[in-house]
Amino acid sequence: MPLILAVDDSPSMRKMVSFTLTGAGYQVVEAVDGQDAYEKAQAQTFDLVLTDQNMPRLDGLGLTRKLRDHPQFKTIPILMLTTESSDLMKQAGRAAGATGWLVKPFDPARLLDVIKKVIR
């Protein structure tokens, strides 16, 4: 069963994402911001990281860059799930190493489709 790290500073968004993913058969570990996620990523291996962009302590792009610096996260899919939708922000995401970009509010079916396409 694939293990997904879900990162968002909004408790309600974390719960919605977790509910959607666990309902589809994934295991989920939640993180409250990028720093929390980075610490959890040091302790265990994930099959996918799903992160918000705008968070305290460490934002989604910063988290993506830090994870991509580690050999075990070179090929792990990292999806951004954020309210940010500008082309400039998406380009910054690609440059940081993000695999894909989804805009909130998210459609659960679309989120699961994207995850199925990128998870190994």
Side-chain angles (χ1 to χ4, degrees), residues 3 5 8 11 13 17-18 23 30 39 47 49 95 99 110-111:
L3 183 60
L5 179 58
D8 202 300
M13 184 55 68
V17 167
S18 260
E30 296 179 14
E39 289 161 11
D47 298 293
V49 177
T99 310
R110 172 134 170 71
L111 174 64

Side-chain angles (χ1 to χ4, degrees), residues 2 42 75 82:
Q42 303 306 301
T75 60
T82 178

Side-chain angles (χ1 to χ4, degrees), residues 3-119:
L3 183 60
I4 297 175
L5 179 58
V7 192
D8 202 300
D9 58 324
S10 160
S12 59
M13 184 55 68
R14 279 197 313 274
K15 288 293 168 227
M16 283 187 346
V17 167
S18 260
F19 180 79
T20 300
L21 297 177
T22 55
Y26 296 104
Q27 287 183 291
V28 179
V29 171
E30 296 179 14
V32 298
D33 61 28
Q35 187 60 42
D36 183 36
Y38 186 71
E39 289 161 11
K40 288 177 174 163
Q42 303 306 301
Q44 67 189 118
T45 304
F46 293 95
D47 298 293
L48 181 134
V49 177
L50 184 65
T51 182
D52 185 21
Q53 165 53 21
N54 300 310
M55 300 179 289
R57 297 203 304 163
L58 183 62
D59 68 15
L61 294 178
L63 172 63
T64 300
R65 282 189 213 94
K66 283 182 84 163
L67 290 175
R68 289 295 185 220
D69 284 342
H70 278 273
Q72 79 252 34
F73 283 94
K74 288 281 187 225
T75 60
I76 300 295
I78 299 175
L79 296 176
M80 303 293 292
L81 178 62
T82 178
T83 55
E84 299 285 347
S85 60
S86 73
D87 287 339
L88 201 59
M89 191 56 95
K90 290 176 185 174
Q91 285 172 351
R94 276 192 292 278
T99 310
W101 196 279
L102 295 155
V103 178
K104 292 178 192 171
F106 72 96
D107 170 29
R110 172 134 170 71
L111 174 64
L112 293 172
D113 278 349
V114 171
I115 288 172
K116 280 186 195 114
K117 284 186 179 112
V118 299
I119 209 159

